[in-house]
Each structure stands twice: as structure tokens, then as C-alpha cells.
Amino acid sequence: MSMSLQAEEEIVVKGNAPETPCIIIDSSVVDHNIREMAERIRRLGVKLRPHAKTHKLPEMAARQVEAGAVGITVAKLSEAEVMADGGIADIFIAYPIVSEKKLRRAAVLSRRIRLILTVDSLEGARRAAAVAVKEESTFEVRLEIDSGLHRTGVLPENALALAKEIHALEGIRLTGIFTYRGAMLDGKSTMDLRAAGLEEGRLMAVTAQALRAEGLPIADVSVGSTPTSVFAAEVEGVTEVRPGTYIFHDRMQAAYGVCSLEDCAATVWVTVVSRPSAELIVVDGGSKTFATDVQPNNPPLHLQGFGHIMGAPDAVLERMNEEHGMIRIGAHHPYEVGDVIQIIPNHICSTVNLHNDVYVTEPSGALRKTRVAARGMLE
Amino acid sequence: MSMSLQAEEEIVVKGNAPETPCIIIDSSVVDHNIREMAERIRRLGVKLRPHAKTHKLPEMAARQVEAGAVGITVAKLSEAEVMADGGIADIFIAYPIVSEKKLRRAAVLSRRIRLILTVDSLEGARRAAAVAVKEESTFEVRLEIDSGLHRTGVLPENALALAKEIHALEGIRLTGIFTYRGAMLDGKSTMDLRAAGLEEGRLMAVTAQALRAEGLPIADVSVGSTPTSVFAAEVEGVTEVRPGTYIFHDRMQAAYGVCSLEDCAATVWVTVVSRPSAELIVVDGGSKTFATDVQPNNPPLHLQGFGHIMGAPDAVLERMNEEHGMIRIGAHHPYEVGDVIQIIPNHICSTVNLHNDVYVTEPSGALRKTRVAARGMLE
């Protein structure tokens, strides 16, 4: 989607509340969150490459770059294509691409922007190298390290051997290593974010040293995550961080203590469609409106329900079907059919992915409807 | 979206496997599922009004109507608008609409198709009536009964009093009652679907009798759900059923014993992007690709993981992040980076909602890519 098309799809909604359910994003809170993270990371002498999965909006990526980010991170090739069309010129796809067709598309994209790919296996790297050679191109790649989350990535102790083999491949230029660990420590989620961040940073710094000692040109040492970035960035040898959620924040980050609920820029607006009993209201947003990937009552956060009900913090969004949200409330709450309620979702990234459009506040106070150009990009 | 626009967006993919992750729908299994349900319900002398939330595709709704359905059911006004644009002429919105703007849109829609709305409160009914009078229109409505799921709907014992008040409103024509209960019995999920269905049907039949005895013109007595429809339809007095999932079926329905895994028409295709250890493969579909609303290890189904891995039924899709699916496998499974795997998701309705497009098999064996026109319709 080109910038001009996106601009055409923007509709100014002045003085009219949008139909619910919808997401409304407070621009001034976004600006504050972008500026604060940029300053904290800059003070530590580290580069910031935010993950765009939270907002999925080229305009928000542009604001992050304007505030000092070196570029952005995405997970999928199709997201990179949308963001490049939106004017972003430096993109890291933090996800292994292994299909030949996608690698050919990546080669095309790498001719117009700085594109960095991910490798985490020799087989994957060979596939990328084969396409690069065929396309008379070179892929800049980073090797993914598994620092404890146990999904993609090579274990640190196996990184050197693999990095050497990858470095030897024609068509591949290995320039860095990266990891994503989030709030994980020793395979379990933790509330000690400082310890998790420092451990993540140290593991990556020493891994980079081991690779450089063998002559591998590791320039970038990149670590992840809104909850751990500012701690990992303290470690000498870490060169880049890739937080995502901080731009909007959400209830999960507030529960981690990373932000306050007032820092949450994106809220879901829903309408009460039924009050079948004094203790229950039903709103017009369920699991098609609020993501269900962060379930209530799980350690370490033990979130009550699927979101924070603004104005009624004791109310609990305790059950959802696809279109029904069941909120248990005290009988003293005066909600009636037709009332509009704002909810801070548990996980904003996956919630934004459910919405075709979001509304962004303008300095004038008007709401601007904008298409979420990079949502639903699965390829 | 008009039919012609939809047709333009169809792209024939011949002899080329689509990029993953994607949903592929087997047309012949769909035809079998549509025909079987239509015949079972017809034999019981009951009308079939399938819920379109499962497929969200006007072409599938048209196939259901062609096979004998009287019309379709949707949850949201915007879904009804898409389906009407796709040629469906009889639509029931099984969800209370309470906002004035939406009710005005409903009045517009009701001029070109038979549109039935939902009421479950006097306040909601008054809002609908006010718009109908202003628009010089009449809304055909059904009263929703809470038969045990405890979301929207009036309790059976309160239905008569409310129905009388609604019937008295100008601009409203109360023609039926409906409920959705699914596999719930006494507020808990059950494996005794026959008991759940019969109880649902009986409760509705006697509620309708009580309303008719007071002179209310209740023509339609409509009950829900793929697992309970065929049982509820046995009850004298039930006039209509609204199953949805049966068109594609899914792993949840197979676990209920409603279908076999071979009846599942829609599978998610993913690619192995990493095999970090002998016991773990990572695929390119996570919680953006597979819905997470039906969680593993919950009663009564106790599903292992987020989907059934075809060809490796002992493998478990045990963890997901947004783009990563972690499948625990036996070391004997030969999966390698680049392999494509088919997975039957736990819940197909909410999974389809995550995909902008699906691929449908044609009799020629080719795959036709088609936009999921009614996905993400939240309003």
C-alpha cells in the first residue's frame, strides 16, 4: 500500500464519536512514549530500532524514526513491504525467511531499502544464499540467538560454529547477532526485569566477543523488548534495542511496572448492549475485538480479566465470546444500555491486529480514522 | 463490498502452492457438510438459518441458501451489509443493536432485504423503535432468551413481561424468540450434547407457548449451534436452527464427537522455519494465524495444544507467540526447515477472522484465492 493510497483512506471524523467497538489512540501520549524511550536509549549510547508490530502503521514508524530511531523491526516480509511503501528506509525482519518465493521478494525489496534478514540455521542460510546468488544480490543477515525463550534461535554455545558456516556462504553478509527474551529468565516469566535485561545483554555481549575473536565481523548486537531494553542497554557491548509495545503501552506492561495506566495510549471503546442483571453488563466487543493471547490469571502477572475498565477498576471483563464481552460489575455502577466504556486491553499488539482501522486524535481534538496498513500481514 | 468487486479480487493460483501461513478450504468437504446438515434439518421439518460467522464469505452463504437454508444469521450490522451486497436476501442479526447510527443503517438495509433484528431489553427496543418511527420504517425483531449461557438475553421467566412491552412499541414487529446455548448445560460446558440440545429446545418451545397464550404473535422459535442443533430440532415447537461451524467443522467439533477430523474442510498451512532441537519445530504461524480463544487443557474437551497436526497426531502445537508456533514433536519425525505442514485449528470461526484471504479448491484442483469479505467487521 503506497502512502498516497493510505492518505486517501484517511477520513476525518470531526465531532462525531466513532461507532464501537473501535480503538482510539491518543497522539499526545504516543509522542510522550516515543520521546521518553528515545531519550533513555540515546543516553546509554545505544541504537533504537523499534518493533512495528505494536502499531502496524507507517505513520507511527515515521514518528519513531523522526525521534531518533535508526530504523524499524518487523516480523514478516509483507510487513516490511508495507513499511517500505510507507517511506521507512531501514528495516530488520527479525524472523527467519526460508521460502524461495519470499526470499526473491526480499531481494527485490533490498534493492530499494536497507533490509536485514534473520538466519538461525544452516539450512535456512543456504536457502537465502542460493536466492541471493541467483538474483546477483547480497543479503545482510543477523544470526538469531536463543537466550532462553526457546523458539527460533541457536543456543549461544552453538552460535560460533554456525556463524562460521554462515559467514562462509556466498551471497550472505553476516553483520550482527540478535535475540528476543522479553521478561523471561531461566525459561520462566519473571517480575525481575532488571535481572532479565542484564542477563540478556551480558549473554549477547560475550557471544559477540566469542564470534569476533574468530574473525567474524559482528557489528550489531541487538536485544529486545519493552520490559528489558533499558536494562539490557546498560551492558557494554550491546549496540541496539528493539522494544515495541512502549509506543502504546498496555495493561500487561503496566502490570510489569514498566509504565502507568496513564501511559497507555490506545484504548478500546465499546458500547453496553445489555445489562441482563445488576452484576453483569455485556459490551459489543469480545474476542474479535480484544486479543486472547494474554490470558487472565496466569503467572507472573495474574491479570484479572481481559482488560482494565477505565472508570471502574473493580469491574472485570471476565468472559468473552467472539462478539460478546461479559463484564462483572458491582451493582452500584450505573451503566445502562447505550453507554460507551473505554478499556485498556491486556495486550495491545495482538489487539491492534484485529482492527482494520484505528482512530488517532489530532491536535485539534478531532479523530482521524486511519487504515492499519500492516495488520493481518501473515506472509 | 459488491459481488463484482469480490470477483475481481479473486486470483486463480494454478499449480503454485500459496505462501504460508494460509487457510486452504476443501470445496468438496464443504459441499458434503452443507448437504448433510441441510438434509438432517429438513427431515425434522425445521428451517435452517446458518450463522455466517464461520466462513465470512458471501459465496459460502450463497451455497448454503442454494442447499435449502431460508437465509443466514450474522452477529454484526456490518456483516449483514457485506452479505446483502453479496446477494443474500434474508438476514437475521442475532445481536442487539443499540446505537442510533447503526439503527439508521439497519433501516436503510431493511428496505432492500428481509432483515430481522435482536432485542433483549426494553431500553434497547425503545431505541430501535424510535429510529424506526423516525425513518418511517418497521423493524422485524426477535427477543433473545438466555437459556444458560448468561451473556445477552432475558431470562425465560421474564420473557413474557418484556415481550408484551416490546410488542406494544410502535415501529417494532415482534415475530420470534431465539437463543444460543451451544454445549452449555446448567452454566457448564458438557459432552452430553443430546441433553443440552433437548433442554434448549424444550425451554424455547414452552417459552413460545407462554407468549402465544397471551396473544403475542411468535412465529419463529430459533435455537443455535452446531453441536446441539440436530437434537434441539427434534423438539416440537422449535421452528429454526442456526448452526455455524458445521460448514467447515474444526478440532473442537471433532472433540465433541460432532464430526470426524476428515470432515474438517479448512486447514491452516504453515512452513517449518526452524528446528532448534530434535524435539521442537517452529512454524511460521502463531497467534496472528491461529485463534487463541479456545485454549488447550480446558474442560470438557481437554484439547492438547492449539491444533491437530495432520500426519503427526502425537505432535503438539503447545506454545505460540504472534508469529511463532512451537510444535513439540518426537525426534523420529523427519521435519526439516522449509517443510509445509497442515494443521486443523481448535476453532475455525475465530481463525478465519485472522486471515484477509483464504484459498478455495476448485473442481479442477486449482486453488482460488478469495478475500474474506466479512472478516474484521466489528461494527
Side-chain angles (χ1 to χ4, degrees):
Chain A
M1 182 169 293
S2 71
M3 275 300 257
S4 62
L5 180 57
Q6 199 206 347
E8 281 164 24
E9 285 183 355
E10 288 173 2
I11 300 159
V12 175
V13 183
K14 268 187 203 287
N16 267 322
E19 286 299 298
T20 63
C22 66
I23 291 176
I24 298 186
I25 295 166
D26 186 323
S27 256
S28 62
V29 179
V30 167
D31 285 341
H32 169 265
N33 292 345
I34 288 178
R35 215 169 33 238
E36 188 185 44
M37 182 63 84
E39 277 166 21
R40 288 181 76 169
I41 299 303
R42 185 163 44 227
R43 273 201 300 272
L44 293 164
V46 166
K47 285 179 269 190
L48 174 63
R49 184 184 287 279
H51 206 303
K53 78 190 182 101
T54 304
H55 51 71
K56 305 181 202 296
L57 289 165
E59 67 174 274
M60 294 289 168
R63 285 202 214 183
Q64 291 173 311
V65 169
E66 203 181 322
V70 296
I72 63 163
T73 307
V74 299
K76 292 290 174 98
L77 173 64
S78 47
E79 292 174 331
E81 291 167 335
V82 171
M83 289 291 169
D85 287 348
I88 307 299
D90 188 336
I91 302 178
F92 169 39
I93 303 177
Y95 198 89
I97 298 178
V98 303
S99 96
E100 191 184 331
K101 264 196 256 177
K102 282 183 193 161
L103 287 163
R104 285 206 306 264
R105 277 162 59 186
V108 170
L109 184 59
S110 70
R111 284 186 199 112
R112 60 184 176 114
I113 64 163
R114 180 194 180 192
L115 181 70
I116 313 167
L117 300 187
T118 290
V119 290
D120 83 332
S121 69
L122 186 59
E123 174 57 25
R126 279 188 181 138
R127 285 166 168 257
V131 170
V133 169
K134 214 150 113 185
E135 300 278 332
E136 298 181 352
S137 191
T138 301
F139 285 130
E140 178 178 356
V141 305
R142 292 178 179 177
L143 176 62
E144 182 171 5
I145 309 294
D146 175 7
S147 56
L149 191 52
H150 305 319
R151 52 182 200 190
T152 44
V154 61
L155 289 170
E157 62 269 32
N158 300 329
L160 178 60
L162 179 58
K164 280 181 176 175
E165 292 182 291
I166 290 168
H167 179 64
L169 292 172
E170 196 187 343
I172 295 278
R173 195 158 58 86
L174 177 66
T175 61
I177 59 173
F178 80 101
T179 196
Y180 179 85
R181 178 172 187 163
M184 301 296 283
L185 192 64
D186 302 324
K188 290 207 171 64
S189 210
T190 177
M191 293 301 289
D192 191 345
L193 304 175
R194 185 174 175 81
L198 291 175
E199 193 166 305
E200 179 184 356
R202 284 177 186 134
L203 186 74
M204 293 298 285
V206 296
T207 302
Q209 283 173 356
L211 269 57
R212 288 189 195 114
E214 297 274 331
L216 296 168
I218 301 302
D220 300 306
V221 180
S222 176
V223 298
S225 125
T226 290
T228 62
S229 277
V230 292
F231 306 115
E234 290 178 21
V235 176
E236 183 71 31
V238 168
T239 68
E240 180 188 284
V241 294
R242 306 183 320 280
T245 314
Y246 77 95
I247 188 169
F248 294 160
H249 281 309
D250 58 18
R251 191 174 181 228
M252 180 166 52
Q253 298 303 328
Y256 275 127
V258 168
C259 64
S260 71
L261 287 171
E262 287 69 39
D263 297 325
C264 294
T267 53
V268 180
W269 292 46
V270 292
T271 298
V272 177
V273 296
S274 185
R275 186 166 185 168
S277 70
E279 293 76 27
L280 179 69
I281 57 176
V282 182
V283 296
D284 61 355
S287 63
K288 265 175 63 182
T289 299
F290 296 91
T292 50
D293 57 340
V294 174
Q295 290 274 314
N297 306 319
N298 281 337
L301 297 175
H302 301 285
L303 295 169
Q304 294 292 302
F306 291 94
H308 170 84
I309 318 296
M310 291 175 75
D314 57 327
V316 181
L317 176 52
E318 64 180 3
R319 284 184 298 139
M320 296 195 296
N321 297 124
E322 280 146 272
E323 308 286 6
H324 298 75
M326 273 62 78
I327 302 181
R328 185 164 41 77
I329 54 168
H332 60 283
H333 283 298
Y335 293 116
E336 287 176 5
V337 168
D339 285 351
V340 173
I341 296 178
Q342 291 172 251
I343 300 179
I344 301 171
N346 285 359
H347 190 192
I348 190 62
C349 314
S350 41
T351 296
V352 167
N353 187 56
L354 296 171
H355 291 253
N356 292 331
D357 307 285
V358 292
Y359 295 84
V360 182
T361 62
E362 296 281 90
S364 67
L367 289 176
R368 180 169 47 83
K369 183 179 185 177
T370 190
R371 187 142 288 258
V372 185
R375 72 146 294 286
M377 295 291 114
L378 299 179
E379 287 185 9
Chain B
M1 180 170 294
S2 72
M3 276 298 260
S4 62
L5 179 57
Q6 198 207 350
E8 280 164 24
E9 286 182 354
E10 289 173 359
I11 300 159
V12 175
V13 183
K14 269 188 203 285
N16 268 322
E19 285 300 299
T20 62
C22 67
I23 291 176
I24 299 187
I25 294 165
D26 187 323
S27 256
S28 61
V29 179
V30 167
D31 285 341
H32 169 266
N33 293 345
I34 287 178
R35 215 170 32 239
E36 189 186 44
M37 182 62 84
E39 277 165 22
R40 288 181 78 171
I41 299 303
R42 185 165 43 229
R43 271 201 301 272
L44 293 164
V46 166
K47 285 180 268 191
L48 174 63
R49 183 185 288 279
H51 206 304
K53 78 190 184 99
T54 304
H55 52 72
K56 304 179 202 299
L57 290 165
E59 67 175 274
M60 294 290 168
R63 285 202 213 182
Q64 291 173 311
V65 169
E66 205 181 320
V70 295
I72 64 163
T73 307
V74 299
K76 292 290 175 98
L77 173 65
S78 47
E79 292 174 331
E81 290 167 338
V82 171
M83 288 293 169
D85 287 348
I88 306 300
D90 187 337
I91 302 178
F92 170 40
I93 303 177
Y95 197 89
I97 298 177
V98 303
S99 95
E100 189 184 332
K101 265 196 257 177
K102 281 183 194 160
L103 287 164
R104 285 204 307 263
R105 278 162 59 185
V108 170
L109 185 59
S110 71
R111 285 185 199 113
R112 59 182 176 117
I113 65 163
R114 180 194 180 194
L115 181 70
I116 313 168
L117 301 186
T118 289
V119 291
D120 83 331
S121 69
L122 185 59
E123 173 57 26
R126 279 187 180 139
R127 285 167 167 257
V131 170
V133 169
K134 214 150 111 185
E135 300 279 331
E136 297 180 353
S137 190
T138 301
F139 286 129
E140 178 178 356
V141 305
R142 292 178 178 176
L143 176 63
E144 182 171 3
I145 309 293
D146 175 7
S147 56
L149 190 52
H150 304 319
R151 51 183 200 190
T152 44
V154 61
L155 289 170
E157 62 269 32
N158 300 329
L160 177 60
L162 179 58
K164 280 181 175 176
E165 291 182 291
I166 291 168
H167 180 63
L169 292 172
E170 195 186 344
I172 295 277
R173 196 158 56 87
L174 177 66
T175 60
I177 60 173
F178 80 102
T179 196
Y180 178 85
R181 178 174 188 160
M184 300 297 283
L185 193 62
D186 301 325
K188 290 207 172 66
S189 212
T190 178
M191 293 301 290
D192 191 345
L193 304 175
R194 184 174 176 81
L198 291 175
E199 193 165 307
E200 179 184 357
R202 284 178 186 134
L203 186 73
M204 293 298 287
V206 296
T207 303
Q209 283 173 356
L211 270 59
R212 288 190 195 114
E214 296 275 332
L216 295 168
I218 301 301
D220 301 306
V221 179
S222 175
V223 298
S225 122
T226 290
T228 61
S229 276
V230 292
F231 306 115
E234 289 179 20
V235 177
E236 183 71 30
V238 167
T239 68
E240 180 187 285
V241 294
R242 307 184 319 281
T245 314
Y246 77 94
I247 187 170
F248 294 161
H249 280 311
D250 58 18
R251 191 173 181 229
M252 181 166 51
Q253 297 303 328
Y256 274 127
V258 167
C259 65
S260 72
L261 288 171
E262 287 68 39
D263 297 324
C264 294
T267 53
V268 179
W269 292 47
V270 292
T271 298
V272 176
V273 295
S274 186
R275 186 166 187 169
S277 70
E279 293 76 26
L280 179 68
I281 56 176
V282 182
V283 296
D284 61 355
S287 62
K288 263 176 65 183
T289 299
F290 296 90
T292 50
D293 56 340
V294 175
Q295 290 273 313
N297 306 318
N298 281 337
L301 297 175
H302 300 285
L303 295 168
Q304 294 293 301
F306 292 93
H308 171 84
I309 318 295
M310 291 175 74
D314 58 326
V316 181
L317 176 52
E318 63 180 2
R319 284 184 300 139
M320 297 196 296
N321 296 124
E322 279 145 273
E323 308 287 7
H324 297 76
M326 274 62 78
I327 302 181
R328 185 164 40 79
I329 54 168
H332 60 281
H333 284 298
Y335 294 116
E336 287 176 6
V337 168
D339 286 351
V340 173
I341 296 178
Q342 294 176 57
I343 299 178
I344 300 171
N346 286 358
H347 190 192
I348 190 61
C349 313
S350 41
T351 295
V352 167
N353 186 56
L354 296 172
H355 291 252
N356 292 331
D357 307 285
V358 292
Y359 295 84
V360 181
T361 62
E362 296 280 271
S364 67
L367 289 176
R368 180 169 47 83
K369 183 179 185 176
T370 189
R371 188 142 287 259
V372 186
R375 71 145 295 287
M377 295 292 115
L378 299 178
E379 287 185 7

